[in-house]
Amino acid sequence: MGYTPELNELIKIVEKTRPERIRQIKAGHSFPKLSLEERAEVLEKFHPDYKKTGRCPILAGPNKGDGKFYPEEFVELLHSGSRLKDIEQFEKLIQKPDYETDVLVIGAGGAGCSAALTAMVNGQNVIITTKLRMGDANTVMAEGGIQGATQEVDSPYYHYLDTIGGGHFTNDPKLVKALVNDAPLVIEWLESLGMMFDKEKDGRLKVLKGGGVCRRRMHSSADMTGSEIMRVLRDEIKNNPDKILPIEFAPAVELILDQDGKCMGAILYHLETKVYSVVYAKAVVIATGGFGRLHIQGFPTTNHYGATADGIILAYRAGVRHRFMYSTQYHPTGAAFPEQNIGLLITEKVRTLGAEPVNRNGEEFVFPLEPRDVESACIIRECIERNNGIATPTGRLGVWLDSPMIEILRGEGTVKKALEAKYIQFKRYGIDISKQPMLIYPTLHYQNGGIEIDEWGDTTVPGLFAAGEVAGGIHGENRLMGNSLLDINVFGRRAGKKASEYITAGITLGTPKLDHVKKFQNELKEAGIETDELSPMILPDYSNPKVRERQLTAKRFGTLQ
Amino acid sequence: MSAELKQSGDKPNLPPDTKMIEVFIMGKRYKVPATLTIQKAIEWAGFQFLRGCGCRGGICGACPTIYRTKDDYKLKIGLACQTVVEDGMYLVQLPFVPAQKSEYHIEDERPTIAAIEKHYPETFRCVQCNTCTKACPMDIEVMQYIAEIIKGDYKKAAELSSSCIMCGMCAARCPAELQQFNVAMFVRRMYGRHVLPKAEHLQKRVKEINENKYIPFLDELGEISHDELVERYKSREWQPEPYEDPNWQPKETKYL
């Protein structure tokens, strides 16, 4: 347990340079930030998104021929067949609903739950369905905080500039506008729901600065901000069982459209009983999250078990474009040691509190709070090109994140208090992060792109909305810290509200159809794609390959063979 | 130069000399690498999780596991994603714990002892055996926060229980049949809503937003040229880090 003797020797080098680095910080000197030109250069050379291998174009559906190269793990899912192989059987099945409701929310993370609650407040009955438990989502794992310009020295204007600059000016301006303008409203909403924000004695919200932002606007609940948001939203949903019906362990596997192309529900697949059931809804909100579990470029991930891009696949077959899906966020600080924690998130808050990334020689090599893609690229450069990384006993590489600096800069006990969950997580393996640095390396963190939406979460299919990580354009090609917990709430609430308005304006559902699925299957065939693979993936497969070879009749989860 | 990197997604990197050990998954024997967590060991054996696996990072509460180790009568509890296997370990996952959740309207409730009596009356049956604390995989002083709840100290109870992941192991082991993780959830929300003072500056900002104060500024940013936008981004005034000058004021104030 703890670090190996070899690693302990290397830590001594970090300890040796620490006092001088602390002195520099206290004197107001930081490692220089990169210029926009320098940023572009390091990204081009070292960011995994710029790698030529492991990418391919999409050959069917609305993004066909868009000239972009996407991660092949993602394209494989788009090019896979529907789970409804015998489609006539399902066309019969969908003629009669098992459930009828106003709004169907697919996905029960932060975006799904905030959409469901908002639709409820707007007078709608809601079904919320998820493939795991309610709250099993990346939201629960978000640690550092939620952005919002709540302080007097800040305003949504600066939040907009930070966000769009962090996204290399590729973000959709109308989505950024919605994001930053609603931010204080979301924080107030969460406060009113009883969320335990970190506050001063007089109730003033404590704020920290995230990477790439010019003002302090990161609101937190220790280092469990996402967990706290999720606990509160889930509890509120459970407080309203007569309005919101949760259905767990039942992913949606296809959408149902009517003869006019309006979305009117979905087919659910109950994983435990292998039963398919049919939900009719006047509006559908997709909030299924991102694709971390596809392990783009072979990277480990911070994402939860179910992050397999299901919702994008469903919407794509219904004719909805996606954008920025070629762009993936690698969080600069994933755990590289111990092996048991590999890829797990070490919150940016560690750096906002003062910890610096340092190399094998105990030297700083990057401004600690560059935008995430730049910070990641600099860490990769330090390891791969400059060969200043530290090798782990299992053949991985990393650099140090000097967390003991926090204790010196902010007083003893700060680590344990402000980084409660992280402290426990490392203590389990005999590492005291208040006294010993952590070994880190970039890890797959966030799907920057997603379903194309407008500022209300509306898509090009009537009655179909999307919110949260599954949607794209808000963050452009790079997301800033704390904008994701914000995004799920802003666009969850907007989608919930807009879906309610869409219903209130008067909706008549037509005849349920699966023509869009058939059409897409034909497009695949025309593109010459023949495959036995099915999607959505639903859950990843981590079994031992040698065992897998002998699981001769098993494929992806729940596949009947 | 050019160090090589082994990237294997979430599959464990296992050096060739990795020791293999025996574990008993629900009584059945499997050989697994000694360095794996319970979660990855179960997957290594050939299982694909449906229940009992969530965030894989120790924060969602989906994978509590009850186990005994060789030659030890003690029943232990750990998160499968955070606990390393041991030779001779007997284990079973308990991914769901039946519990009542009281339904309430947060605005109508008050942070009192009476509210606890109304929603979770069994809380007062605590026999102070401390089994809950020993069961907690997050090392929370569960019995202590229950004591604070019984005294009506919402603040202490909320703070003591703040890292709860709601796995339910406390309630599963409690001989007095309390539902600690649910009453704690109630207490934390009540504390956040009714005890912690409201953020007044936030109310002010919300009012400004509702009056559309910032819309013209944001529209302006949407309308200016790309070059101008980049220029404004580059010339943002940088609030100094918090080690110094809490009274910092920006020079540019027209967009505040």
Side-chain angles (χ1 to χ4, degrees):
Chain A
M1 295 294 260
Y3 286 116
T4 61
E6 293 80 12
L7 290 172
N8 274 324
E9 278 306 306
L10 291 171
I11 288 175
K12 286 184 187 157
I13 303 173
V14 179
E15 287 168 347
K16 216 167 167 182
T17 64
R18 191 179 294 143
E20 176 57 20
R21 285 183 285 115
I22 295 274
R23 209 180 61 77
Q24 292 291 336
I25 287 188
K26 286 193 170 161
H29 302 152
S30 63
F31 196 87
K33 297 186 195 86
L34 297 185
S35 68
L36 290 181
E37 295 71 30
E38 288 168 323
R39 280 184 189 178
E41 194 194 329
V42 71
L43 286 174
E44 172 75 31
K45 278 175 84 176
F46 296 101
H47 195 278
D49 269 359
Y50 294 78
K51 267 201 161 175
K52 298 283 180 291
T53 51
R55 298 178 179 280
C56 57
I58 295 169
L59 302 177
N63 282 78
K64 176 185 166 183
D66 66 2
K68 298 276 194 304
F69 284 76
Y70 296 92
E72 59 189 13
E73 297 84 353
F74 170 61
V75 175
E76 191 195 324
L77 292 181
L78 287 179
H79 286 175
S80 293
S82 169
R83 301 181 82 89
L84 318 183
K85 269 186 152 174
D86 181 358
I87 201 139
E88 286 82 23
Q89 214 179 8
F90 285 95
E91 283 177 322
K92 270 184 228 149
L93 184 80
I94 61 169
Q95 298 311 316
K96 217 173 126 258
D98 299 287
Y99 306 90
E100 285 182 84
T101 187
D102 297 322
V103 180
L104 169 66
V105 179
I106 302 171
C113 288
S114 61
L117 288 169
T118 309
M120 176 193 82
V121 170
N122 283 280
Q124 308 303 318
N125 287 313
V126 180
I127 288 178
I128 182 164
T129 181
T130 167
K131 66 179 152 192
L132 293 164
R133 304 170 308 160
M134 250 217 301
D136 278 337
N138 285 344
T139 299
V140 88
M141 311 182 72
E143 299 173 351
I146 176 166
Q147 284 211 54
T150 61
Q151 308 286 319
E152 291 85 346
V153 295
D154 191 15
S155 89
Y157 174 89
Y158 297 101
H159 191 177
Y160 183 108
L161 277 179
D162 288 336
T163 301
I164 205 155
H168 311 301
F169 306 97
T170 56
N171 320 40
D172 184 336
K174 65 179 186 298
L175 300 185
V176 181
K177 183 179 156 189
L179 181 80
V180 301
N181 194 61
D182 281 13
L185 307 182
V186 158
I187 298 199
E188 199 245 354
W189 180 59
L190 292 170
E191 187 194 43
S192 77
L193 287 172
M195 176 167 163
M196 282 169 58
F197 278 109
D198 294 333
K199 287 182 171 179
E200 307 289 353
K201 280 203 173 68
D202 63 355
R204 175 168 284 270
L205 293 155
K206 285 189 185 174
V207 277
L208 282 169
K209 200 191 267 186
V213 306
C214 66
R215 304 288 150 91
R216 296 205 293 270
R217 70 170 80 90
M218 188 71 53
H219 304 76
S220 57
S221 179
D223 64 344
M224 294 178 64
T225 315
S227 168
E228 169 67 353
I229 289 176
M230 200 65 251
R231 287 188 304 208
V232 167
L233 295 181
R234 182 175 53 200
D235 192 64
E236 187 61 11
I237 285 193
K238 288 184 174 175
N239 275 348
N240 294 282
D242 49 337
K243 309 257 181 51
I244 304 178
L245 172 68
I247 306 177
E248 297 180 313
F249 299 97
V253 293
E254 291 298 351
L255 298 171
I256 304 171
L257 305 187
D258 73 5
Q259 77 280 2
D260 302 328
K262 289 199 300 289
C263 189
M264 62 169 286
I267 299 175
L268 308 186
Y269 181 54
H270 299 263
L271 295 175
E272 290 168 311
T273 54
K274 307 200 186 327
V275 166
Y276 286 91
S277 65
V278 175
V279 184
Y280 283 2
K282 293 171 190 151
V284 174
V285 180
I286 294 186
T288 51
F291 69 4
R293 289 282 155 193
L294 303 186
H295 297 292
I296 312 299
Q297 294 281 342
F299 269 75
T301 182
T302 60
N303 283 194
H304 86 108
Y305 187 42
T308 54
D310 298 1
I312 289 206
I313 309 295
L314 267 52
Y316 196 69
R317 287 182 186 148
V320 183
R321 282 173 63 87
H322 54 75
R323 47 183 176 170
F324 298 105
M325 284 301 292
Y326 52 84
S327 169
T328 304
Q329 179 165 87
Y330 297 85
H331 195 288
T333 58
F337 186 90
E339 180 69 22
Q340 292 87 354
N341 271 356
I342 200 72
L344 291 189
L345 178 64
I346 293 164
T347 169
E348 190 163 319
K349 196 173 170 189
V350 177
R351 282 172 289 139
T352 65
L353 288 168
E356 291 172 342
V358 292
N359 66 20
R360 188 188 169 85
N361 309 319
E363 303 153 344
E364 275 181 276
F365 56 91
V366 60
F367 177 66
L369 290 170
E370 294 282 4
R372 283 180 172 171
D373 51 353
V374 177
E375 189 85 10
S376 290
C378 288
I379 291 169
I380 293 172
R381 174 175 69 186
E382 198 65 17
C383 292
I384 305 286
E385 189 190 56
R386 298 179 177 168
N387 216 4
N388 283 333
I390 296 103
T392 75
T394 55
R396 300 185 193 264
L397 283 171
V399 296
W400 299 111
L401 181 58
D402 198 10
S403 47
M405 293 175 72
I406 297 169
E407 298 278 287
I408 303 170
L409 290 166
R410 292 176 184 261
E412 223 165 284
T414 309
V415 166
K416 206 172 164 182
K417 205 168 159 209
L419 301 166
E420 202 178 352
K422 230 23 40 180
Y423 179 80
I424 296 172
Q425 202 170 50
F426 276 83
K427 206 183 79 176
R428 289 193 185 110
Y429 295 105
I431 294 168
D432 179 347
I433 61 168
S434 67
K435 299 192 177 72
Q436 295 164 291
M438 295 176 253
L439 257 185
I440 55 108
Y441 195 78
T443 177
L444 204 177
H445 189 52
Y446 190 77
Q447 167 187 305
N448 287 324
I451 294 172
E452 189 170 62
I453 55 165
D454 74 3
E455 67 272 36
W456 292 99
D458 208 350
T459 72
T460 48
V461 169
L464 183 63
F465 301 80
E469 192 171 348
V470 77
I474 302 143
H475 312 289
E477 292 176 0
N478 181 53
R479 177 178 66 77
L480 294 183
M481 176 200 188
N483 268 353
S484 177
L485 284 180
L486 176 60
D487 161 2
I488 57 171
N489 283 294
V490 167
F491 290 95
R493 276 160 40 107
R494 281 177 166 246
K497 182 159 185 277
K498 198 68 181 178
S500 306
E501 286 171 11
Y502 168 80
I503 292 168
T504 313
I507 288 298
T508 317
L509 298 181
T511 315
K513 299 270 187 193
L514 293 170
D515 292 353
H516 61 289
V517 179
K518 290 199 266 191
K519 181 169 165 256
F520 187 74
Q521 300 286 72
N522 282 336
E523 280 189 51
L524 288 180
K525 212 184 268 172
E526 279 163 22
I529 300 159
E530 292 206 22
T531 173
D532 290 336
E533 296 292 334
L534 303 181
S535 66
M537 180 193 267
I538 300 179
L539 291 172
D541 171 16
Y542 294 124
S543 52
N544 176 353
K546 284 189 183 148
V547 175
R548 204 62 173 139
E549 273 170 24
R550 284 170 291 142
Q551 292 175 323
L552 293 169
T553 58
K555 271 233 159 168
R556 283 188 175 148
F557 201 94
T559 309
L560 293 176
Q561 296 238 336
Chain B
M1 228 210 64
S2 192
E4 265 310 306
L5 196 60
K6 278 195 213 162
Q7 289 287 15
S8 59
D10 214 35
K11 297 208 167 109
N13 272 359
L14 298 169
D17 57 345
T18 303
K19 200 177 130 203
M20 300 296 282
I21 57 168
E22 278 184 352
V23 298
F24 297 84
I25 302 171
M26 288 181 283
K28 185 170 173 179
R29 184 194 314 259
Y30 291 92
K31 275 211 155 159
V32 298
T35 54
L36 298 186
T37 58
I38 293 173
Q39 186 161 67
K40 286 183 180 172
I42 293 175
E43 289 175 334
W44 177 270
F47 291 77
Q48 189 175 19
F49 286 112
L50 172 52
R51 295 268 180 174
C53 179
C55 74
R56 303 174 72 92
I59 198 76
C60 80
C63 68
T65 304
I66 304 181
Y67 61 94
R68 276 195 163 92
T69 48
K70 224 181 215 173
D71 306 325
D72 190 350
Y73 69 88
K74 279 203 160 73
L75 208 50
K76 298 171 186 169
I77 291 177
L79 297 175
C81 70
Q82 296 290 306
T83 310
V84 178
V85 287
E86 291 174 47
D87 192 34
M89 180 184 258
Y90 269 83
L91 58 91
V92 66
Q93 288 197 278
L94 192 56
F96 182 80
V97 175
Q100 307 284 346
K101 196 205 100 67
S102 180
E103 290 149 21
Y104 58 95
H105 293 292
I106 192 165
E107 62 279 10
D108 300 338
E109 299 290 339
R110 291 294 167 265
T112 57
I113 294 179
I116 305 295
E117 279 167 343
K118 179 171 141 204
H119 292 287
Y120 293 98
E122 72 283 359
T123 306
F124 299 90
R125 298 180 60 212
C126 174
V127 295
Q128 300 185 20
C129 67
N130 212 28
T131 309
C132 50
T133 304
K134 288 182 203 152
C136 179
M138 294 301 282
D139 295 343
I140 294 171
E141 296 284 341
V142 184
M143 190 184 82
Q144 191 56 42
Y145 81 62
I146 291 294
E148 302 298 344
I149 292 174
I150 289 170
K151 281 190 280 178
D153 194 332
Y154 276 60
K155 180 177 192 289
K156 275 195 187 144
E159 283 169 356
L160 282 169
S161 71
S162 69
S163 58
C164 176
I165 57 175
M166 305 191 72
C167 68
M169 287 299 102
C170 46
R173 293 285 283 137
C174 179
E177 296 158 317
L178 269 65
Q179 307 178 87
Q180 291 90 336
F181 66 111
N182 276 345
V183 67
M185 184 71 233
F186 175 76
V187 164
R188 282 193 305 274
R189 283 191 68 191
M190 294 300 287
Y191 173 69
R193 163 85 189 216
H194 296 295
V195 183
L196 271 177
K198 267 200 160 188
E200 279 173 32
H201 62 297
L202 179 60
Q203 297 298 324
K204 203 174 137 238
R205 181 52 53 88
V206 164
K207 191 164 165 275
E208 290 168 335
I209 301 259
N210 287 333
E211 289 163 355
N212 290 330
K213 175 176 172 186
Y214 297 100
I215 297 294
F217 305 156
L218 299 174
D219 284 341
E220 182 183 320
L221 288 172
E223 284 155 13
I224 56 177
S225 71
H226 176 81
D227 290 350
E228 169 71 17
L229 186 64
V230 173
E231 203 36 57
R232 289 199 196 183
Y233 176 70
K234 280 191 192 163
S235 57
R236 289 165 302 158
E237 271 177 272
W238 212 258
Q239 184 172 17
E241 280 309 298
Y243 324 113
E244 49 201 308
D245 200 5
N247 300 317
W248 175 81
Q249 290 295 326
K251 290 192 193 79
E252 183 181 70
T253 53
K254 68 172 178 173
Y255 297 112
L256 292 177

